[in-house]
Amino acid sequence: MVQLTMAKAINEGLRRAMADDPKVLVMGEDIGKLGGVFRITDGLQSEFGAQRVVDTPLAEAGIMGTAVGLAFRGYRPVVEIQFDGFVYPAFDQIVCQVAKLHYRTRGNVTMPITIRIPWAGGVGAAEHHSESPEAYFVHTSGLRVIAVSNPQDAYVMLRQAIASNDPVVYFEPKRLYHTKGEVDLDVQLADAPPMGLARIAREGEDVTLLTYGSQVATALDAATAAEDDGVSIEVIDLRSISPVDYRTVTASVRKTGRVVVTHEAAREAGVGAELIASVTERCFNYLEAAPQRVTGHDIPYPPAKLEKHHLPDLDRILDAVDRVMDRPNSLSGVLD
Amino acid sequence: MTMTHTLTPTADLATDIDDVARLLTPDGERIADPELDRWVADVDAATLRGLYRDMVLLRRIDTEGVALQRQGQLALWPPCQGQEATQIGTARALRADDFAFPSYRETGVVYARGGKPSDFVLAWRGEEHSTYNPYDLNTATQQIIIGAQSLHAVGYAMGIQRDGTDQVAVAYFGDGASSQGDVNEAMVFASSYGAPVVFVCTNNQWAISEPVTVQAKFPIAGRAPGFGIPSMRVDGNDVLACLAAMRWAIDNARRGNGPAFIEAVTYRMGPHTTSDDPTRYRDKEEVESWRRRDPIARVEALLRSQNEFDEAFVASVDADADALAAAVRHAAMSATTRPPLTILDDVYAEPHSGIDEQREWFGAYLNGFAPAEEA
Ligand SMILES: Cc1ncc(C[n+]2csc(CCOP(=O)(O)OP(=O)(O)O)c2C)c(N)n1
C-alpha cells in the first residue's frame, strides 16, 4: 500500500497498463512533454516514446475517430479529453461509432477504447471546464460509464477499463485529483471486485444516499452531519453508472425504505431520474417516502463565482433527507 | 481571385517564419511590398502613433491581467503579449458595423471594438460568462471551444448576404484551431456561398504545448486556396502588414468576392494561461529570439526614424496606459457577485415552468438561511 493522490494513481494505472500490454497507447492534446494539463500523463512519453504516447492535433473528432481505426487494428487506445466540456466535438464518433461497432459487426469488431474525461466542477474554472455530461453517455447503449471517487478505485478501475473489450467512458473528478488515499498498486485485476460493482461507502439504517464520483465526499460529510440529528445514512458510491449495480442498491433500499440521490449534473433526465425510476420499479413496496433528487439546477453551468449555488452541498442533501424523513424542509408549503 | 497566397509551392515548414509578407522589418525599417503597400498608402504618422498607442495599452491590460490573477483577483488569464500587432492591426481595419468573432486570447480585439475595463476581466474573474452585450460591440462573446466561432462568423456573413449590406464578419482562431473540423467546415461553407467573411488565423507557434508542426506540415495559409479561398501569410508582429492584409481581405469581401484567409505569423510570449508551465515544452532561446521581433519596439523604431516619437507623445501614451490599467484593476477589485437566484435567469427567453418551479423552491430554500427578522 502506498499513499497517492488520485492524479498519481491514474498516472500509475496508465504506466502499468502500458508496460503490461504493448497494444495500449495513450492519445490526446498536450499529453506528451507537458504531461497533460493536469499532468496525469507525466513522464509517460519519455518512458514509452511518442508512438505510444501520442500528442495529437487539436481535434477531438479526429482523436476519437482515429482511436476507432486503431482499435480496428487491434490497439487499445486510451484517449484523454482535455476537459469535460470539450468532449462534444467527439460526441458523434463516440455515440455513432465507438458505442455501436461491436453491435453492428455482430461482435466481430471490438472497441477497447478508454475515454478519460477530467470532469465536473467546484474548482472555480472558466466556462466549459466544469460540465457533467455523463447522462448523454449513460443513455447510449454500447458504452460503459465509470465515475471514480478515490485513488484506489481510480487506479483499479482504470486498469479494468483498459483491459475491458468494451469502450469505457471514465470520469475523473478534477476536484479530487489532489486528494490522497491508500493504493494497492500490485492488486491482481482478477482478484479485484469487477468494474461494475457499487461500494457501500458508509453503512446506515434510515436513508440510502446514492451518489458517484465528485459527490461522494459531500455525501459522506452529509451522513456525518445527519448522525448528529439522529438520522443514519447509508452512502452508496455507485462507481459504475452504466451499468448500475442494482443488487447492492436494492438491498440497501429494502433495508432503509428511503432514497436520496445526489449528483452535480442537472436534474432533468439525469442519472438521478434513471436511478429513482429503477429503484421504484424494484422496491416500490419497500418505500416509505417518495425518493428525492439533489442535483445541479437545470441551467448551463454558471460562472465560477456562483457555482456554489449550483452544486449540491451538504445542506441541500440534508434538506432532501428531511423530505424523505417527513421532517420540516424547504419544500414544506412551497410546491404541491 | 485578386490575390492568392504568397507561398512557394515547395514544402515550406509551417515554422518557416520568414516566408511572410511584411512592411516593417524587425528593426523598424519600412520596406516595400508590391501587394500590401497600396492598402496602407494613407497611413500617416498620426495613424501610426494611434496603432502604437493601441498596442501599448493592450500590453498594459495584459500585464494587469496577469498581475490580478497572481493576486487572486482573477481565476485565470490568457496572456496575449507578443500578439499585439496581429490583434490591433486586423481589428483596426474593421468598420464599427462589421462583426467580429474572437477567441479567449483576443483581448485586443475586444479593446479595439470598444470594450470597457470590466469587459477584459470580469469573465476571467468568474462573475459572468460574457460581460458585454455582443450587439453593443458588434463582437461575439469570446470563444473557449476551439474553432466553434469560425462557423458562426460564416453564418453571420451569410446573413449579411441575405440582407444585401456591405458588412463583413471576421473569425479569429489559432493555429491549433485550424485542426478542428469546425474550422475546415467553415471554409467549405464560406467558399460554397461566397460569404463575406475573413478568417484570421493567429499562428502564435503553440497550441498550449503542441508546436504548430503537430497541426500542420505546410503553412496554414496554404490550405485556404484548396477551399477556393485566397489567402495571405503575413508577419503577425508587423502591425502595418496586418492592417494592410486585413484591408485587402475586407475589401475583397465588401465587394462581393467572398471569403479571404490571413495567417498572421507571431508568437505567444507568455504561458498559454496563468495555469500553464511553458518551461516544460519550449526553450528560453526561442522565446528570446522572438523578443527581438517585438511588435511594439518595431513601430517605436519607425516613429523615431521619422522624428515622430517625442517625449510628449510617450508621456501621453504612458499616462493613458496608467489610467487604463488603474481602471481595469478597479473593475476587478470592485466587482460584486450577483445574487444566487440570478443563476436561474436567462436560461430561456420565454417563461419556462420547470425553471419557475426551481426558482420557487430555491428561493424558499435560500430564505431558510436568512437571519430571522428582528421584531
Ligand atoms: C474543443 C476544445 N478542445 C480543447 C480545448 C482546450 N484548449 C484551450 S486553448 C487550447 C490551445 C489552442 O491553441 P490555438 O488554437 O493555437 O490558440 P492559442 O491558444 O495559441 O491562441 C486548447 C487545447 C478547448 N478549449 N476546446
Side-chain angles (χ1 to χ4, degrees), chain B residues 124-174:
Chain B
W124 298 115
R125 194 179 153 89
E127 303 287 3
E128 302 283 346
H129 290 323
S130 174
T131 50
Y132 53 86
N133 174 348
Y135 295 111
D136 288 344
L137 302 186
N138 282 334
T139 302
T141 302
Q142 287 177 271
Q143 182 62 253
I144 289 181
I145 300 296
I146 300 299
Q149 74 280 18
S150 54
L151 282 161
H152 308 165
V154 175
Y156 191 95
M158 290 164 64
I160 293 173
Q161 277 180 311
R162 279 156 183 70
D163 295 342
T165 67
D166 72 344
Q167 291 153 284
V168 169
V170 186
Y172 283 94
F173 50 86

Short mmCIF file of all heavy atoms in Angstrom, two decimals, chain B residues 124-174:
data_model
loop_
_atom_site.label_atom_id
_atom_site.label_comp_id
_atom_site.label_asym_id
_atom_site.label_seq_id
_atom_site.Cartn_x
_atom_site.Cartn_y
_atom_site.Cartn_z
N TRP B 124 -12.97 36.48 -16.60
CA TRP B 124 -11.86 35.69 -16.04
C TRP B 124 -11.92 35.65 -14.51
O TRP B 124 -11.31 34.81 -13.87
CB TRP B 124 -10.52 36.24 -16.51
CG TRP B 124 -10.40 36.16 -17.99
CD1 TRP B 124 -10.32 37.19 -18.88
CD2 TRP B 124 -10.40 34.96 -18.80
NE1 TRP B 124 -10.27 36.72 -20.18
CE2 TRP B 124 -10.32 35.35 -20.15
CE3 TRP B 124 -10.47 33.60 -18.50
CZ2 TRP B 124 -10.30 34.44 -21.21
CZ3 TRP B 124 -10.46 32.68 -19.55
CH2 TRP B 124 -10.37 33.10 -20.88
N ARG B 125 -12.65 36.57 -13.94
CA ARG B 125 -12.85 36.54 -12.50
C ARG B 125 -13.94 35.54 -12.13
O ARG B 125 -14.08 35.13 -10.99
CB ARG B 125 -13.24 37.94 -12.04
CG ARG B 125 -13.17 38.16 -10.55
CD ARG B 125 -13.54 39.59 -10.24
NE ARG B 125 -14.09 39.69 -8.92
CZ ARG B 125 -13.35 39.90 -7.83
NH1 ARG B 125 -12.05 40.04 -7.94
NH2 ARG B 125 -13.91 39.96 -6.65
N GLY B 126 -14.73 35.14 -13.12
CA GLY B 126 -15.78 34.18 -12.85
C GLY B 126 -17.10 34.81 -12.46
O GLY B 126 -17.96 34.15 -11.90
N GLU B 127 -17.26 36.12 -12.77
CA GLU B 127 -18.51 36.78 -12.41
C GLU B 127 -19.60 36.56 -13.47
O GLU B 127 -20.78 36.48 -13.15
CB GLU B 127 -18.31 38.30 -12.24
CG GLU B 127 -17.25 38.70 -11.22
CD GLU B 127 -17.69 38.49 -9.78
OE1 GLU B 127 -18.80 37.98 -9.55
OE2 GLU B 127 -16.88 38.81 -8.87
N GLU B 128 -19.18 36.54 -14.71
CA GLU B 128 -20.12 36.44 -15.84
C GLU B 128 -19.46 35.59 -16.92
O GLU B 128 -18.24 35.51 -16.98
CB GLU B 128 -20.36 37.83 -16.47
CG GLU B 128 -20.91 38.88 -15.53
CD GLU B 128 -22.38 38.71 -15.26
OE1 GLU B 128 -23.05 37.94 -15.99
OE2 GLU B 128 -22.88 39.35 -14.31
N HIS B 129 -20.27 35.03 -17.80
CA HIS B 129 -19.67 34.38 -18.97
C HIS B 129 -19.30 35.43 -20.02
O HIS B 129 -18.31 35.31 -20.71
CB HIS B 129 -20.65 33.38 -19.59
CG HIS B 129 -20.86 32.16 -18.73
ND1 HIS B 129 -19.86 31.57 -17.99
CD2 HIS B 129 -21.96 31.41 -18.50
CE1 HIS B 129 -20.34 30.52 -17.35
NE2 HIS B 129 -21.61 30.40 -17.63
N SER B 130 -20.16 36.42 -20.18
CA SER B 130 -19.89 37.48 -21.14
C SER B 130 -20.30 38.78 -20.49
O SER B 130 -21.45 38.95 -20.10
CB SER B 130 -20.72 37.25 -22.41
OG SER B 130 -20.56 38.33 -23.31
N THR B 131 -19.35 39.71 -20.36
CA THR B 131 -19.69 40.95 -19.66
C THR B 131 -20.38 41.93 -20.59
O THR B 131 -21.17 42.74 -20.16
CB THR B 131 -18.44 41.62 -19.09
OG1 THR B 131 -17.48 41.69 -20.13
CG2 THR B 131 -17.90 40.83 -17.93
N TYR B 132 -20.06 41.85 -21.86
CA TYR B 132 -20.64 42.83 -22.78
C TYR B 132 -21.77 42.21 -23.59
O TYR B 132 -21.83 40.99 -23.77
CB TYR B 132 -19.58 43.42 -23.72
CG TYR B 132 -18.75 42.41 -24.48
CD1 TYR B 132 -19.19 41.90 -25.71
CD2 TYR B 132 -17.52 41.96 -23.99
CE1 TYR B 132 -18.43 40.98 -26.41
CE2 TYR B 132 -16.75 41.04 -24.69
CZ TYR B 132 -17.21 40.55 -25.90
OH TYR B 132 -16.47 39.64 -26.59
N ASN B 133 -22.64 43.08 -24.05
CA ASN B 133 -23.68 42.65 -24.97
C ASN B 133 -23.06 42.61 -26.36
O ASN B 133 -22.58 43.64 -26.85
CB ASN B 133 -24.83 43.67 -24.91
CG ASN B 133 -25.90 43.39 -25.94
OD1 ASN B 133 -25.73 42.58 -26.86
ND2 ASN B 133 -27.03 44.08 -25.81
N PRO B 134 -23.02 41.45 -26.99
CA PRO B 134 -22.36 41.36 -28.30
C PRO B 134 -22.83 42.41 -29.30
O PRO B 134 -22.04 42.90 -30.11
CB PRO B 134 -22.72 39.96 -28.78
CG PRO B 134 -22.88 39.18 -27.52
CD PRO B 134 -23.50 40.14 -26.53
N TYR B 135 -24.09 42.80 -29.23
CA TYR B 135 -24.60 43.78 -30.20
C TYR B 135 -24.10 45.19 -29.89
O TYR B 135 -24.13 46.05 -30.77
CB TYR B 135 -26.12 43.72 -30.26
CG TYR B 135 -26.60 42.40 -30.80
CD1 TYR B 135 -27.27 41.49 -29.99
CD2 TYR B 135 -26.34 42.03 -32.12
CE1 TYR B 135 -27.68 40.26 -30.47
CE2 TYR B 135 -26.75 40.79 -32.61
CZ TYR B 135 -27.42 39.91 -31.78
OH TYR B 135 -27.81 38.70 -32.26
N ASP B 136 -23.65 45.44 -28.66
CA ASP B 136 -23.09 46.76 -28.35
C ASP B 136 -21.72 46.95 -29.00
O ASP B 136 -21.36 48.04 -29.42
CB ASP B 136 -22.93 46.95 -26.84
CG ASP B 136 -24.28 47.13 -26.15
OD1 ASP B 136 -25.27 47.42 -26.86
OD2 ASP B 136 -24.34 46.97 -24.91
N LEU B 137 -20.94 45.87 -29.04
CA LEU B 137 -19.58 45.97 -29.59
C LEU B 137 -19.50 45.37 -30.99
O LEU B 137 -18.43 45.38 -31.59
CB LEU B 137 -18.59 45.25 -28.68
CG LEU B 137 -18.47 45.68 -27.22
CD1 LEU B 137 -17.31 44.94 -26.54
CD2 LEU B 137 -18.25 47.18 -27.10
N ASN B 138 -20.60 44.85 -31.49
CA ASN B 138 -20.56 44.06 -32.72
C ASN B 138 -19.42 43.04 -32.65
O ASN B 138 -18.62 42.87 -33.59
CB ASN B 138 -20.43 44.96 -33.96
CG ASN B 138 -21.78 45.58 -34.31
OD1 ASN B 138 -22.84 45.02 -33.99
ND2 ASN B 138 -21.76 46.73 -34.95
N THR B 139 -19.38 42.38 -31.54
CA THR B 139 -18.33 41.40 -31.25
C THR B 139 -18.96 40.28 -30.42
O THR B 139 -19.56 40.55 -29.38
CB THR B 139 -17.19 42.07 -30.44
OG1 THR B 139 -16.69 43.16 -31.21
CG2 THR B 139 -16.07 41.10 -30.13
N ALA B 140 -18.81 39.06 -30.89
CA ALA B 140 -19.40 37.93 -30.17
C ALA B 140 -18.65 37.71 -28.85
O ALA B 140 -17.51 38.14 -28.69
CB ALA B 140 -19.34 36.67 -31.02
N THR B 141 -19.29 37.03 -27.94
CA THR B 141 -18.66 36.60 -26.70
C THR B 141 -17.40 35.80 -27.04
O THR B 141 -17.43 34.96 -27.92
CB THR B 141 -19.64 35.71 -25.92
OG1 THR B 141 -20.82 36.48 -25.70
CG2 THR B 141 -19.07 35.25 -24.61
N GLN B 142 -16.33 36.09 -26.34
CA GLN B 142 -15.06 35.39 -26.63
C GLN B 142 -15.24 33.88 -26.49
O GLN B 142 -15.82 33.42 -25.51
CB GLN B 142 -13.96 35.91 -25.70
CG GLN B 142 -13.51 37.31 -26.08
CD GLN B 142 -12.48 37.86 -25.12
OE1 GLN B 142 -12.82 38.47 -24.12
NE2 GLN B 142 -11.22 37.65 -25.42
N GLN B 143 -14.72 33.17 -27.46
CA GLN B 143 -14.99 31.73 -27.55
C GLN B 143 -13.91 30.91 -26.86
O GLN B 143 -12.73 31.15 -27.05
CB GLN B 143 -15.06 31.34 -29.03
CG GLN B 143 -15.39 29.90 -29.30
CD GLN B 143 -16.76 29.50 -28.78
OE1 GLN B 143 -16.89 28.79 -27.80
NE2 GLN B 143 -17.79 29.97 -29.43
N ILE B 144 -14.36 29.91 -26.11
CA ILE B 144 -13.41 28.99 -25.47
C ILE B 144 -13.36 27.65 -26.20
O ILE B 144 -12.33 27.00 -26.25
CB ILE B 144 -13.77 28.81 -23.97
CG1 ILE B 144 -13.44 30.11 -23.21
CG2 ILE B 144 -13.02 27.64 -23.37
CD1 ILE B 144 -13.72 30.07 -21.73
N ILE B 145 -14.47 27.24 -26.78
CA ILE B 145 -14.48 25.97 -27.52
C ILE B 145 -13.71 26.18 -28.82
O ILE B 145 -14.13 26.96 -29.69
CB ILE B 145 -15.92 25.51 -27.82
CG1 ILE B 145 -16.70 25.32 -26.52
CG2 ILE B 145 -15.91 24.23 -28.66
CD1 ILE B 145 -16.19 24.24 -25.60
N ILE B 146 -12.59 25.48 -28.95
CA ILE B 146 -11.67 25.78 -30.04
C ILE B 146 -12.33 25.63 -31.41
O ILE B 146 -12.80 24.55 -31.78
CB ILE B 146 -10.44 24.84 -29.96
CG1 ILE B 146 -9.70 25.02 -28.65
CG2 ILE B 146 -9.50 25.09 -31.15
CD1 ILE B 146 -9.15 26.38 -28.41
N GLY B 147 -12.35 26.72 -32.14
CA GLY B 147 -12.78 26.71 -33.54
C GLY B 147 -14.27 26.93 -33.77
O GLY B 147 -14.68 27.22 -34.90
N ALA B 148 -15.09 26.81 -32.74
CA ALA B 148 -16.55 26.86 -32.94
C ALA B 148 -16.99 28.17 -33.60
O ALA B 148 -17.91 28.19 -34.43
CB ALA B 148 -17.27 26.69 -31.59
N GLN B 149 -16.30 29.27 -33.25
CA GLN B 149 -16.74 30.58 -33.73
C GLN B 149 -16.54 30.77 -35.22
O GLN B 149 -17.13 31.67 -35.82
CB GLN B 149 -16.04 31.69 -32.93
CG GLN B 149 -14.55 31.91 -33.26
CD GLN B 149 -13.63 30.91 -32.57
OE1 GLN B 149 -14.05 29.86 -32.11
NE2 GLN B 149 -12.34 31.22 -32.52
N SER B 150 -15.70 29.95 -35.82
CA SER B 150 -15.44 30.14 -37.26
C SER B 150 -16.72 29.89 -38.06
O SER B 150 -17.01 30.60 -39.02
CB SER B 150 -14.31 29.22 -37.72
OG SER B 150 -14.59 27.88 -37.38
N LEU B 151 -17.48 28.91 -37.64
CA LEU B 151 -18.76 28.64 -38.31
C LEU B 151 -19.76 29.76 -38.04
O LEU B 151 -20.55 30.13 -38.92
CB LEU B 151 -19.33 27.30 -37.85
CG LEU B 151 -18.68 26.07 -38.48
CD1 LEU B 151 -18.95 24.83 -37.66
CD2 LEU B 151 -19.16 25.88 -39.91
N HIS B 152 -19.72 30.30 -36.83
CA HIS B 152 -20.66 31.38 -36.51
C HIS B 152 -20.39 32.59 -37.40
O HIS B 152 -21.33 33.24 -37.88
CB HIS B 152 -20.53 31.79 -35.03
CG HIS B 152 -20.63 30.63 -34.09
ND1 HIS B 152 -20.24 30.70 -32.77
CD2 HIS B 152 -21.05 29.35 -34.28
CE1 HIS B 152 -20.43 29.52 -32.18
NE2 HIS B 152 -20.91 28.69 -33.08
N ALA B 153 -19.14 32.87 -37.62
CA ALA B 153 -18.79 34.02 -38.46
C ALA B 153 -19.30 33.80 -39.88
O ALA B 153 -19.83 34.73 -40.52
CB ALA B 153 -17.27 34.23 -38.46
N VAL B 154 -19.16 32.59 -40.36
CA VAL B 154 -19.64 32.32 -41.73
C VAL B 154 -21.16 32.46 -41.79
O VAL B 154 -21.71 33.08 -42.71
CB VAL B 154 -19.20 30.91 -42.19
CG1 VAL B 154 -19.81 30.58 -43.55
CG2 VAL B 154 -17.68 30.82 -42.26
N GLY B 155 -21.84 31.93 -40.79
CA GLY B 155 -23.30 32.06 -40.78
C GLY B 155 -23.73 33.52 -40.70
O GLY B 155 -24.68 33.94 -41.38
N TYR B 156 -23.02 34.29 -39.88
CA TYR B 156 -23.33 35.72 -39.78
C TYR B 156 -23.13 36.38 -41.16
O TYR B 156 -23.97 37.18 -41.61
CB TYR B 156 -22.42 36.37 -38.73
CG TYR B 156 -22.84 37.78 -38.37
CD1 TYR B 156 -23.65 38.02 -37.26
CD2 TYR B 156 -22.45 38.87 -39.15
CE1 TYR B 156 -24.04 39.30 -36.93
CE2 TYR B 156 -22.83 40.16 -38.83
CZ TYR B 156 -23.64 40.36 -37.71
OH TYR B 156 -24.03 41.64 -37.39
N ALA B 157 -22.06 35.99 -41.81
CA ALA B 157 -21.78 36.55 -43.14
C ALA B 157 -22.86 36.15 -44.14
O ALA B 157 -23.24 36.94 -45.03
CB ALA B 157 -20.40 36.08 -43.61
N MET B 158 -23.38 34.94 -44.00
CA MET B 158 -24.48 34.52 -44.89
C MET B 158 -25.72 35.39 -44.64
O MET B 158 -26.47 35.69 -45.58
CB MET B 158 -24.78 33.03 -44.66
CG MET B 158 -23.68 32.11 -45.19
SD MET B 158 -23.77 30.42 -44.54
CE MET B 158 -25.32 29.88 -45.23
N GLY B 159 -25.90 35.80 -43.38
CA GLY B 159 -26.99 36.71 -43.07
C GLY B 159 -26.78 38.08 -43.72
O GLY B 159 -27.72 38.68 -44.25
N ILE B 160 -25.54 38.54 -43.68
CA ILE B 160 -25.21 39.82 -44.33
C ILE B 160 -25.56 39.75 -45.82
O ILE B 160 -26.17 40.67 -46.38
CB ILE B 160 -23.69 40.15 -44.16
CG1 ILE B 160 -23.37 40.42 -42.68
CG2 ILE B 160 -23.30 41.32 -45.05
CD1 ILE B 160 -21.87 40.58 -42.40
N GLN B 161 -25.20 38.63 -46.42
CA GLN B 161 -25.51 38.45 -47.86
C GLN B 161 -27.00 38.59 -48.12
O GLN B 161 -27.43 39.25 -49.06
CB GLN B 161 -25.11 37.03 -48.30
CG GLN B 161 -23.68 36.84 -48.64
CD GLN B 161 -23.41 35.40 -49.05
OE1 GLN B 161 -23.82 34.46 -48.38
NE2 GLN B 161 -22.73 35.23 -50.17
N ARG B 162 -27.77 37.95 -47.26
CA ARG B 162 -29.22 37.96 -47.47
C ARG B 162 -29.80 39.36 -47.26
O ARG B 162 -30.79 39.73 -47.88
CB ARG B 162 -29.90 36.96 -46.54
CG ARG B 162 -29.81 35.57 -47.10
CD ARG B 162 -29.90 34.48 -46.07
NE ARG B 162 -29.73 33.19 -46.73
CZ ARG B 162 -28.57 32.75 -47.25
NH1 ARG B 162 -27.48 33.50 -47.17
NH2 ARG B 162 -28.51 31.59 -47.86
N ASP B 163 -29.16 40.12 -46.34
CA ASP B 163 -29.64 41.47 -46.08
C ASP B 163 -29.14 42.47 -47.11
O ASP B 163 -29.56 43.62 -47.12
CB ASP B 163 -29.21 41.92 -44.68
CG ASP B 163 -29.86 41.06 -43.60
OD1 ASP B 163 -30.87 40.38 -43.90
OD2 ASP B 163 -29.36 41.06 -42.45
N GLY B 164 -28.21 42.04 -47.92
CA GLY B 164 -27.73 42.89 -49.01
C GLY B 164 -26.91 44.09 -48.56
O GLY B 164 -26.86 45.11 -49.25
N THR B 165 -26.25 44.00 -47.39
CA THR B 165 -25.40 45.11 -46.94
C THR B 165 -23.94 44.80 -47.27
O THR B 165 -23.63 43.69 -47.71
CB THR B 165 -25.53 45.34 -45.42
OG1 THR B 165 -24.97 44.22 -44.75
CG2 THR B 165 -26.98 45.51 -45.02
N ASP B 166 -23.07 45.76 -47.03
CA ASP B 166 -21.65 45.51 -47.35
C ASP B 166 -20.80 45.28 -46.10
O ASP B 166 -19.61 45.52 -46.10
CB ASP B 166 -21.08 46.66 -48.19
CG ASP B 166 -20.89 47.93 -47.38
OD1 ASP B 166 -21.48 48.02 -46.26
OD2 ASP B 166 -20.16 48.82 -47.84
N GLN B 167 -21.45 44.80 -45.04
CA GLN B 167 -20.67 44.49 -43.83
C GLN B 167 -19.86 43.21 -44.05
O GLN B 167 -20.09 42.45 -45.00
CB GLN B 167 -21.60 44.28 -42.64
CG GLN B 167 -22.29 45.55 -42.19
CD GLN B 167 -23.61 45.21 -41.53
OE1 GLN B 167 -24.59 44.89 -42.22
NE2 GLN B 167 -23.62 45.26 -40.22
N VAL B 168 -18.97 42.98 -43.08
CA VAL B 168 -18.09 41.81 -43.15
C VAL B 168 -18.05 41.16 -41.77
O VAL B 168 -18.14 41.85 -40.75
CB VAL B 168 -16.67 42.26 -43.58
CG1 VAL B 168 -15.66 41.15 -43.42
CG2 VAL B 168 -16.68 42.77 -45.02
N ALA B 169 -17.96 39.85 -41.75
CA ALA B 169 -17.77 39.12 -40.48
C ALA B 169 -16.33 38.61 -40.43
O ALA B 169 -15.73 38.33 -41.48
CB ALA B 169 -18.73 37.96 -40.38
N VAL B 170 -15.79 38.53 -39.22
CA VAL B 170 -14.42 38.06 -39.06
C VAL B 170 -14.36 36.94 -38.04
O VAL B 170 -14.92 37.07 -36.94
CB VAL B 170 -13.49 39.18 -38.53
CG1 VAL B 170 -12.05 38.70 -38.51
CG2 VAL B 170 -13.62 40.41 -39.37
N ALA B 171 -13.68 35.87 -38.39
CA ALA B 171 -13.46 34.77 -37.45
C ALA B 171 -11.99 34.79 -37.04
O ALA B 171 -11.11 34.73 -37.89
CB ALA B 171 -13.78 33.44 -38.12
N TYR B 172 -11.75 34.89 -35.75
CA TYR B 172 -10.39 34.79 -35.22
C TYR B 172 -10.20 33.41 -34.59
O TYR B 172 -11.05 32.96 -33.82
CB TYR B 172 -10.17 35.82 -34.12
CG TYR B 172 -9.96 37.23 -34.61
CD1 TYR B 172 -11.03 38.11 -34.72
CD2 TYR B 172 -8.69 37.68 -34.93
CE1 TYR B 172 -10.83 39.42 -35.15
CE2 TYR B 172 -8.49 38.98 -35.37
CZ TYR B 172 -9.55 39.85 -35.48
OH TYR B 172 -9.35 41.13 -35.91
N PHE B 173 -9.10 32.76 -34.90
CA PHE B 173 -8.80 31.49 -34.24
C PHE B 173 -7.30 31.24 -34.31
O PHE B 173 -6.57 31.95 -35.02
CB PHE B 173 -9.59 30.32 -34.85
CG PHE B 173 -9.49 30.24 -36.35
CD1 PHE B 173 -8.44 29.57 -36.96
CD2 PHE B 173 -10.46 30.83 -37.15
CE1 PHE B 173 -8.35 29.50 -38.33
CE2 PHE B 173 -10.38 30.75 -38.54
CZ PHE B 173 -9.31 30.09 -39.13
N GLY B 174 -6.83 30.21 -33.62
CA GLY B 174 -5.40 29.94 -33.53
C GLY B 174 -4.93 28.89 -34.52
O GLY B 174 -5.73 28.28 -35.25
#
